[in-house]
Amino acid sequence: MRTAGTERHPASGGAGIVTTCGRRIAVRRLRLATADRPISRIALDVGPDRGGEPGTWAALTAGEARDLADLLLRHAGLAERGAEPAGPAREAAP
């Protein structure tokens, strides 16, 4: 079984990890040149799983990427401490 780790992708300038369940998650800068102004996004690419289920991707603005990073860091801290996230309680299923 593969273990989680960090990979570098020098050709694209991006970085990624391989999760313990075998998915490769890559992060890259996406730049679209337009006539009036360039558009920059952060591309998050979640590859297929070991069973071949397709992955997905998202193009985030810089602010969205920062918000996602903040959420990931907060939830990682909660997971390490075994705590529940702050916020409204989940409703029980009927």
Side-chain angles (χ1 to χ4, degrees), residues 72-83:
L72 289 168
L73 289 169
R74 284 194 282 147
H75 281 270
L78 291 169
E80 288 172 336
R81 292 188 300 279

Side-chain angles (χ1 to χ4, degrees), residues 1-55:
M1 178 194 290
R2 284 192 271 183
T3 59
T6 302
E7 297 178 344
R8 295 299 262 159
H9 302 280
S12 65
I17 64 166
V18 176
T19 67
T20 55
C21 65
R23 285 194 188 256
R24 185 184 59 79
I25 302 173
V27 179
R28 295 180 182 85
R29 181 171 172 238
L30 176 63
R31 187 163 169 83
L32 305 171
T34 62
D36 53 341
R37 74 183 167 119
I39 298 170
S40 287
R41 295 287 185 269
I42 293 77
L44 181 65
D45 180 11
V46 179
D49 69 9
R50 288 185 189 156
E53 285 293 316

